[in-house]
Amino acid sequence: QAQPAESGGGSVQTGGSLRLSCVVPKPKFSWYCMGWFRQAPGKEREAVAGISAGQETRYIDSVKGRFTISRDNAKNMVFLEMNTLKPEDTATYYCAPGGDFCDPRTLLAASQYGPWGRGTQVTVSS
């Protein structure tokens, strides 16, 4: 399976913004749930946000109101708009496809996602 390719990471100060992009080379892209995950040094990878084929979204509590996930099915792309960034958002961010027509209630369940790309680094300084 071809890997997703993430981009858009960088270094910002607290309160700054970044927009992550991800190209997912998957046939029938629009059928699949898509998710953004992150992994900080010494920690396990955690779900951040997910979007279903029907455009329903889910977020972890710590990013609600600050992050927005979206998708462009015509371009096989998924995005993560990140605002009001905090030092605790520092991590490597990954996107991945999930199941086809997945239940939106499972959007933050990591077990359905893969393959994984190389990620893009986000560093937020105080």
Side-chain angles (χ1 to χ4, degrees):
Q1 291 178 316
Q3 291 179 324
E6 303 92 345
S7 62
S11 297
V12 297
Q13 292 188 327
T14 297
S17 299
L18 285 172
R19 185 178 191 237
L20 306 184
S21 300
C22 180
V23 178
V24 184
K26 192 171 183 68
K28 297 181 172 64
F29 172 88
S30 64
W31 291 11
Y32 293 86
C33 293
M34 294 290 159
W36 281 98
F37 292 74
R38 67 187 179 187
Q39 187 168 18
K43 295 186 177 181
E44 293 187 355
R45 183 158 51 196
E46 65 170 351
V48 176
I51 185 167
S52 71
Q55 305 279 352
E56 289 192 50
T57 59
R58 294 289 189 277
Y59 301 90
I60 56 173
D61 288 344
S62 61
V63 308
K64 283 181 181 177
R66 300 189 298 122
F67 290 12
T68 302
I69 188 172
S70 60
R71 63 192 297 163
D72 183 337
N73 290 333
K75 297 180 179 179
N76 278 37
M77 294 187 73
V78 60
F79 306 96
L80 187 67
E81 184 77 31
M82 306 187 296
N83 298 311
T84 319
L85 282 160
K86 303 176 180 180
E88 51 263 44
D89 295 318
T90 295
T92 301
Y93 283 71
Y94 303 86
C95 79
D100 55 338
F101 300 107
C102 75
D103 185 338
R105 293 172 295 180
T106 69
L107 281 171
L108 298 181
S111 58
Q112 69 164 305
Y113 287 96
W116 301 95
R118 294 185 175 185
T120 186
Q121 178 66 37
V122 172
T123 302
V124 185
S125 59
S126 58

